[in-house]
Amino acid sequence: MKELTQEEWQEKLKNDKDAVILDVRTEEEVDEGYIPNAKNIDIYKGQGFINEVEKLDKSKHYYIYCRSGKRSSQACTLLDQMGFSETYNLLGGFSEWEGDKTTD
């Protein structure tokens, strides 16, 4: 896992053809807005989270965020332990995100 500031995250993301954005917040939080093209897997689902993560391509690079950066840090650690090669945690999370946002 590597901790990235917003600036580092955006810079690295735009040059990464293997990037996958992973939002580990709850559905209610996601309904309030999210980073475009993010895949949502709620870390609070426990084994359900693990089951969904196991379906992901381990060779991709995962840019993971939550509301504040704490859950995403846990998710990065978990993915690292599961054999994912590159995980990046967004410092400050979505609550401090100043980049593009969207809602459905």
Side-chain angles (χ1 to χ4, degrees):
M1 168 182 53
K2 186 165 187 204
E3 307 265 2
L4 299 178
T5 64
Q6 282 192 48
E7 295 77 21
E8 292 167 332
W9 164 289
Q10 290 186 54
E11 189 61 35
K12 196 158 180 55
L13 189 60
K14 76 177 177 193
N15 298 313
D16 189 344
K17 63 180 177 23
D18 290 319
V20 176
I21 302 172
L22 195 57
D23 181 340
V24 297
R25 299 174 303 153
T26 65
E27 282 184 41
E28 294 76 25
E29 289 173 302
V30 173
D31 288 344
E32 295 169 11
Y34 58 93
I35 297 172
N37 303 314
K39 176 176 180 57
N40 175 238
I41 306 176
D42 181 357
I43 195 167
Y44 285 152
K45 289 200 158 83
Q47 188 59 44
F49 176 79
I50 302 289
N51 294 344
E52 287 301 308
V53 166
E54 284 176 338
K55 298 174 188 173
L56 301 174
D57 182 344
K58 289 188 168 134
S59 69
K60 300 284 186 198
H61 307 154
Y62 291 88
Y63 292 76
I64 306 175
Y65 74 96
C66 63
R67 186 175 43 83
S68 66
K70 191 171 179 189
R71 283 174 283 171
S72 52
S73 177
Q74 293 171 334
C76 284
T77 300
L78 221 76
L79 267 68
D80 290 348
Q81 290 169 350
M82 293 170 71
F84 286 80
S85 60
E86 290 191 45
T87 60
Y88 302 100
N89 182 38
L90 177 63
L91 291 169
F94 191 73
S95 64
E96 294 181 16
W97 180 250
E98 294 172 359
D100 291 341
K101 296 179 185 177
T102 190
T103 55
D104 287 337

